[in-house]
Amino acid sequence: MGTFSSFFDSQSRSQWNYNTLKNFRQISPIVQTHLKKVYMTLCCALVASAFGAYLHIIWNIGGYLTTFACFGAIIWLHSTPPCQEQKRVSLLMASAVFEGASIGPLIDLAIQIDPSVLVAAFVGTALAFACFSGAAMLARRREYLYLGGLLSSGVSMLLWLHFASSIFGGSTALFKMEIYLGLLVFVGYMVVDTQDIIEKAHLGDLDYVKHALTLFTDFVAVFVRILIIMLKNSAEKGERKKKKRSD
């Protein structure tokens, strides 16, 4: 936690004003153009993911099959050379559609319980993404890349928690720990991956499709966890209201 608190402390010590927000001198024009392509592609992937979730609501196609199809499309994308740009963009959109269909059951549940929770979760994720990505852009180059090792340890802890819950049976405390730790880890990845993309672009890696896929993965991971937390809170509020009425 000290590492993440130092992140916010360093940002608060900076002189945040309008001139600071305009200061992108550390990012060259080529990298700025690359980032525009990355974020445009990310927006298209999010639209494709929403379409995949819509397909699940209509035809109930989400499940293990779409999850494996998503992984297959991602592996195919990584094995395709960067020169085949149109094919790689198509594979990214296909993986986004499959990902949207895979989380379709959760989205369908949110619509049935309270549609406003779904909107709030998406807006909250978008705001968190914009804030943390913006902070990573405005920070000094490579300032937060060291967090990558800590976040990798967090992912390892998540895997062990999931493994333990599948063997010994899940408890409410273990589930909450897994959800909140996962949220913290993937919010951290928003910062680290943004700086990593900028640094790679400065070194000549302008693969905007792969970089958009990285940010898309972070966005979906945070969105799913925020949505689960909000659904759980909404369900608990509903139970309290029922108890009050019965009393």
Side-chain angles (χ1 to χ4, degrees):
M1 294 297 294
T3 307
F4 285 97
S5 62
S6 65
F7 168 79
F8 291 105
D9 291 340
S10 63
Q11 294 302 318
S12 62
R13 286 194 298 266
S14 302
Q15 295 180 353
W16 285 89
N17 51 39
Y18 184 68
N19 291 327
T20 304
L21 294 175
K22 295 191 298 180
N23 183 19
F24 284 92
R25 286 177 295 179
Q26 293 182 3
I27 304 177
S28 65
I30 295 175
V31 176
Q32 290 183 33
T33 303
H34 172 68
L35 289 175
K36 290 177 184 177
K37 294 177 71 174
V38 169
Y39 286 110
M40 284 296 296
T41 308
L42 172 62
C43 290
C44 293
L46 291 175
V47 172
S49 183
F51 177 69
Y54 177 71
L55 291 179
H56 168 78
I57 294 172
I58 296 176
W59 292 317
N60 194 27
I61 61 174
Y64 288 110
L65 186 61
T66 54
T67 301
F68 288 130
C70 177
F71 283 124
I74 291 173
I75 293 171
W76 193 359
L77 188 155
H78 282 289
S79 62
T80 304
C83 58
Q84 300 181 16
E85 182 178 339
Q86 187 174 359
K87 181 180 178 181
R88 298 177 85 242
V89 172
S90 300
L91 287 170
L92 173 61
M93 296 304 142
S95 65
V97 171
F98 290 134
E99 179 66 26
S102 298
I103 64 174
L106 178 63
I107 292 176
D108 193 17
L109 177 64
I111 293 173
Q112 293 177 15
I113 295 176
D114 187 0
S116 64
V117 171
L118 180 63
V119 177
F122 181 81
V123 172
T125 306
L127 288 175
F129 185 85
C131 292
F132 283 95
S133 293
M137 289 181 189
L138 294 171
R140 293 189 300 272
R141 283 178 58 183
R142 301 183 295 274
E143 185 174 2
Y144 300 113
L145 290 182
Y146 72 94
L147 289 173
L150 180 63
L151 295 174
S152 297
S153 300
V155 171
S156 179
M157 286 180 62
L158 286 173
L159 292 175
W160 279 109
L161 284 172
H162 186 72
F163 180 71
S165 62
S166 62
I167 292 180
F168 302 107
S171 64
T172 304
L174 193 63
F175 176 76
K176 285 185 176 181
M177 183 177 179
E178 188 177 346
I179 290 296
Y180 283 100
L181 178 61
L183 179 61
L184 184 65
V185 166
F186 284 105
V187 164
Y189 267 119
M190 286 181 175
V191 178
V192 173
D193 286 337
T194 301
Q195 282 211 329
D196 185 52
I197 288 169
I198 293 172
E199 190 59 29
K200 286 180 177 178
H202 277 291
L203 296 175
D205 183 1
L206 300 176
D207 189 352
Y208 71 93
V209 179
K210 182 178 68 177
H211 295 164
L213 175 62
T214 301
L215 295 180
F216 173 75
T217 304
D218 297 339
F219 190 99
V220 172
V222 172
F223 169 71
V224 167
R225 284 159 177 81
I226 290 178
L227 182 57
I228 290 173
I229 292 170
M230 295 185 71
L231 283 175
K232 194 171 184 351
N233 293 337
S234 179
E236 290 176 353
K237 287 181 182 178
E239 289 179 359
R240 291 195 202 101
K241 287 181 180 178
K242 287 181 180 179
K243 287 181 179 179
K244 287 181 179 179
R245 289 174 183 174
S246 61
D247 294 339

